[in-house]
Amino acid sequence: MRELYQEVILDHNKRPRNKGVIEEASHRAEGHNPLCGDQVAITLVLRDGLVEQVKFDGQGCAISTASASMLTEAVLGKTPEEARALSHAFYELVTDHASSEIDYGELAALEGVKDFPTRVKCATLAWHTLESALEGKGA
Ligand code: ZN
């Protein structure tokens, strides 16, 4: 398990980035992973076709919290299409094989969950929730 909990994951879990709720969000969604009990809410502001602000809130295990924290940094300033493409690439990273066309940055630290199938849902929860938010569900 030590390999799974790399330092960058522990750091994001201890000091989550962009945690909270954007009250004036243009898009929002909530997600739940019953297998682990993780809960996450994503709020974001889309302006001029870009993710201008994004925050996550909720509680869960270290993997779900770190993934959500990294997500907020990774999708900031992207178009919804770019954010969706990154989400799909992230799913590939943690289930199968990483895309060679994507610079995963810190997200690569989560690749180890593919050896722990029960944790994949922890890692992908925030990303599924982001996609729901971008689709306007629950906005
Ligand atoms: Zn979890």
Side-chain angles (χ1 to χ4, degrees), residues 29-83:
E30 292 180 11
H32 179 221
N33 170 19
L35 289 178
C36 181
D38 308 313
Q39 289 185 309
V40 67
I42 300 275
T43 50
L44 62 91
V45 176
L46 269 190
R47 186 162 297 162
D48 299 330
L50 298 175
V51 178
E52 186 186 72
Q53 294 178 58
V54 55
K55 286 190 177 187
F56 84 97
D57 203 5
Q59 49 197 357
C61 65
I63 296 294
S64 69
T65 300
S67 183
S69 175
M70 289 184 198
L71 174 153
T72 61
E73 294 193 316
V75 304
L76 190 67
K78 286 188 161 44
T79 68
E81 291 71 28
E82 289 168 340

Side-chain angles (χ1 to χ4, degrees), residues 1 22 25 30-31 45 66 72 75-76 78 84 96 103 106 118:
M1 291 300 272
I22 303 171
E30 292 180 11
V45 176
T72 61
V75 304
L76 190 67
K78 286 188 161 44
R84 253 182 236 115
D96 183 13
D103 176 10
E106 287 188 333
T118 57

